Amino acid sequence: MKRFAAEACDCPDARSMRLGTGLVLAALLLLPMAAAAVDPVAGPWQRGIENQRQADLGDGTFLNPVFAGDRPDPSVLKDGEDYYLTSSSFDAYPGLPIWHSRDLVNWQPLGHAITRNVGSIWAPDIVKHNDRYYIYFPARTGGTEGSTRSNYVVWADDIRGPWSEPINLGLGKYIDPGHAVGEDGKRYLFLSGGDYVQLSDDGLSVVGEPRHVYDGWQYPQDWDVESYAQEGPKIHKRGDWYYMTTAVGGTAGPPTGHMVISARSKSIHGPWENSPHNPITRTVDRSEPWWSRGHATVVEGSDSRWWMIHHGYENGYWTLGRQALLDPVEWTDDGWFIAQGGDLSQPLAKPSGEPVGPHGMALSDSFNGKRLGQQWSFFDPAQDEYQRLSFGDGAMSVQGKGRSPADSSPLTVIAGDKAYQFEVEMEIEPGAIGGALLFYNDRLYAGVGSNGDRFVMHRYGQERPVNGLTAGKGGRLWLRVTNNQHIVTVHTSSDGKTWDKYPVQMEVSGYHHNVAGQFLALKPAIYAAGEGKVHFRDFRYRALDY
């Protein structure tokens, strides 16, 4: 590899930096580790794949989150002894990830329901009707300003696919569709704002116009919330009653804003009576371990106990996105349900059922396959984005695109740990730029890239040098990124054995929705820009103790 100049830096000695020379070599093959894995907020937790955080404590209890990392707006389907879950995927494609469980705590990936970019995918609902699976979801294109949106459905006869192409249902005024079957045998979609609309018998089109059916529940005016935002209706039936579980209070903003409310009716058409126990769950104080708790699906366990799966931000870690939380519920004698898990800071008795396998999936990738691994997603890809990829000789080759992470559709993985490290080997062709970084969106990211001759530093979503890099001669480089509770350190190597510490460290606790919008998470990422290809090899991830 040729020398790398570090003009990307603010520090006075950065211009003298050369890869493999001039700096003290970093012996950071293993970071110092604490004697025990202790979460300072929630207590001890177990380790799993690549040392990643696991909910199952192995003693008949679990500790939230059941899904660490960015799994917002979880929707759960009970199908016999099996449970299937999907969640919002926003601008990440493949989108609508599908997970399988038999105990609601340990989940295994099955794949994705959608590959073609139809926009930013929010708040889906996964259901089964007449032996066919459906996912209803809204999608928005055009960004926050001047955006357009619609609602879609995909279907499959096997939960593992293949899934249909997205079918546009219209309903551009609404988000967060929730499927239900009424006492009349007809199918309906409940929508944001308390409206609903009939579906055709095949569930693939709308019949008639939406009608208003539910005004929601009003919280006290002195509560600190983001906005009223009545959304995410989920319908389930128990006995003679239909129950509507809804989110109000706004998704982010103040930690005490988001909440879950419930109403019931003996007819799908109403009237809907609010629960006397509203809100079913809410973050009451910012000192709690989970903030902005809301957007729930209520589901029956395999042993007749009932559960509520919803999402929340971890105290101090907006960067991890909204994580999936499991809360036991109990039914009162007069037919209402109430949450039993408190602030979810303590272990809880597990649901019954045997695990389908180890929870989660490895984020590391040897790139020995012939296609993109399930852990990877492009950010806001073009329709032909997958054509940038080729595989062979233990490498994933990515054709360069754009000039920086902002316009190159980086490949990202979802991390759920507060401290972790990842590294990758890059063979950079002449004219190309390759890098490793933490990526929130195209306006906010941090890391380092190279054209084979020089480094470019990415910080605050900006480049130094400010115009990025021009074409270089290419070369071979290893990059290692460590995110230790928001303190980011980068190391570089020309041989994968000895490492130089990059002279700038970064602090990224502010890289989240309340700063940059879009409801996303800060993710490990790699990118290829410029002309030519970057050949990525041996991506390795592992969680760190702290």
Side-chain angles (χ1 to χ4, degrees):
M1 186 76 181
K2 299 292 185 181
R3 290 179 177 180
F4 288 75
E7 291 116 321
C9 224
D10 289 327
C11 45
D13 61 343
R15 295 180 184 273
S16 65
M17 177 183 173
R18 296 293 185 268
L19 182 65
T21 65
L23 292 181
V24 176
L25 296 179
L28 194 64
L29 293 178
L30 292 174
L31 288 187
M33 292 194 177
V38 177
D39 184 325
V41 174
W45 43 272
Q46 300 295 306
R47 298 293 197 170
I49 298 170
E50 299 164 322
N51 223 28
Q52 293 181 50
R53 176 157 50 164
Q54 302 282 301
D56 193 337
L57 300 181
D59 60 359
T61 67
F62 73 97
L63 181 64
N64 278 294
V66 289
F67 261 118
D70 193 37
R71 304 293 175 185
D73 308 315
S75 174
V76 180
L77 163 67
K78 177 177 172 59
D79 185 16
E81 295 181 351
D82 298 292
Y83 298 90
Y84 302 108
L85 177 148
T86 191
S87 58
S88 295
S89 49
F90 296 102
D91 299 282
Y93 283 84
L96 292 178
I98 300 174
W99 296 79
H100 175 220
S101 177
R102 286 193 167 180
D103 65 359
L104 293 173
V105 172
N106 296 283
W107 296 85
Q108 278 280 294
L110 296 182
H112 295 80
I114 190 169
T115 58
R116 180 171 67 84
N117 191 340
V118 294
S120 183
I121 294 176
W122 297 19
D125 192 25
I126 185 170
V127 299
K128 186 179 183 181
H129 184 75
N130 290 342
D131 296 323
R132 176 167 284 181
Y133 299 93
Y134 300 82
I135 302 177
Y136 293 90
F137 64 94
R140 185 181 70 183
T141 58
T144 304
E145 299 298 330
S147 65
T148 60
R149 64 189 181 198
S150 190
N151 282 268
Y152 297 82
V153 61
V154 292
W155 60 269
D157 291 322
D158 188 313
I159 193 67
R160 293 167 176 80
W163 288 84
S164 73
E165 285 293 305
I167 299 168
N168 193 337
L169 298 172
L171 302 170
K173 176 183 175 182
Y174 300 98
I175 60 172
D176 300 9
H179 179 272
V181 178
E183 68 273 18
D184 52 9
K186 299 295 184 181
R187 302 173 68 177
Y188 298 90
L189 275 187
F190 281 73
L191 304 160
S192 56
D195 291 359
Y196 79 131
V197 66
Q198 186 177 332
L199 291 170
S200 59
D201 290 344
D202 64 6
L204 304 181
S205 62
V206 170
V207 177
E209 297 295 324
R211 293 176 287 172
H212 187 72
V213 72
Y214 177 54
D215 291 330
W217 175 82
Q218 294 293 330
Y219 45 78
Q221 289 299 304
D222 61 349
W223 287 7
D224 291 327
V225 300
E226 182 182 35
S227 62
Y228 184 67
Q230 182 181 325
E231 57 194 11
K234 295 290 187 291
I235 309 295
H236 76 273
K237 191 174 185 183
R238 182 176 182 266
D240 296 331
W241 292 99
Y242 289 94
Y243 293 85
M244 185 192 311
T245 306
T246 309
V248 295
T251 291
T256 54
H258 208 26
M259 65 193 82
V260 175
I261 64 171
S262 177
R264 71 181 184 185
S265 173
K266 289 193 172 180
S267 170
I268 202 73
H269 308 289
W272 292 87
E273 174 192 5
N274 279 312
S275 171
H277 306 287
N278 282 338
I280 305 303
T281 194
R282 170 182 176 250
T283 303
V284 176
D285 187 271
R286 71 182 68 185
S287 65
E288 294 180 20
W290 293 101
W291 291 348
S292 301
R293 291 167 57 188
H295 203 108
T297 300
V298 178
V299 63
E300 185 179 9
S302 59
D303 58 358
S304 299
R305 288 188 293 165
W306 286 74
W307 302 84
M308 181 169 62
I309 295 184
H310 59 297
H311 64 213
Y313 286 106
E314 196 160 6
N315 189 327
Y317 286 84
W318 299 99
T319 52
L320 290 176
R322 290 168 291 170
Q323 305 180 58
L325 308 170
L326 182 63
D327 196 346
V329 299
E330 288 188 0
W331 292 92
T332 64
D333 292 340
D334 55 352
W336 296 102
F337 66 90
I338 54 178
Q340 294 293 300
D343 65 7
L344 303 185
S345 63
Q346 300 300 317
L348 298 166
K350 273 184 60 182
S352 64
E354 292 298 320
V356 294
H359 173 78
M361 61 180 165
L363 302 185
S364 299
D365 198 340
S366 63
F367 301 121
N368 285 324
K370 297 181 179 180
R371 64 187 66 184
L372 191 66
Q374 289 191 71
Q375 64 270 60
W376 294 104
S377 293
F378 279 111
F379 175 81
D380 193 21
Q383 297 300 336
D384 62 351
E385 204 74 44
Y386 299 95
Q387 296 178 20
R388 295 175 61 198
L389 303 179
S390 58
F391 296 85
D393 191 28
M396 177 176 68
S397 302
V398 185
Q399 175 62 48
K401 171 186 173 181
R403 293 177 55 86
S404 73
D407 55 7
S408 65
S409 293
L411 283 159
T412 68
V413 298
I414 296 173
D417 299 292
K418 297 179 182 179
Y420 58 83
Q421 183 181 87
F422 64 95
E423 62 186 54
V424 67
E425 175 188 351
M426 301 184 302
E427 183 182 345
I428 305 167
E429 291 187 355
I433 302 165
L437 65 156
L438 298 174
F439 186 86
Y440 180 80
N441 64 11
D442 53 0
R443 295 177 290 115
L444 194 57
Y445 46 84
V448 170
S450 173
N451 63 2
D453 295 311
R454 300 167 59 199
F455 286 122
V456 58
M457 181 177 70
H458 308 296
R459 187 167 59 169
Y460 322 125
Q462 301 172 346
E463 277 64 58
R464 291 189 67 88
V466 294
N467 294 319
L469 295 177
T470 56
K473 296 180 180 179
R476 194 178 184 197
L477 170 70
W478 282 256
L479 287 178
R480 173 185 289 154
V481 178
T482 303
N483 179 3
N484 189 351
Q485 301 172 90
H486 297 140
I487 304 301
V488 178
T489 307
V490 178
H491 286 74
T492 68
S493 175
S494 60
D495 60 8
K497 298 178 181 178
T498 56
W499 296 83
D500 292 323
K501 185 178 182 180
Y502 193 77
V504 177
Q505 285 74 64
M506 309 176 198
E507 202 281 340
V508 294
S509 62
Y511 288 42
H512 58 74
H513 170 80
N514 283 353
V515 172
Q518 292 188 268
F519 303 104
L520 306 177
L522 191 62
K523 302 176 182 179
I526 55 177
Y527 77 95
E531 304 295 331
K533 296 181 178 181
V534 179
H535 308 280
F536 294 98
R537 292 184 171 88
D538 197 20
F539 178 88
R540 293 189 287 178
Y541 171 96
R542 68 187 184 92
L544 303 174
D545 292 336
Y546 50 88

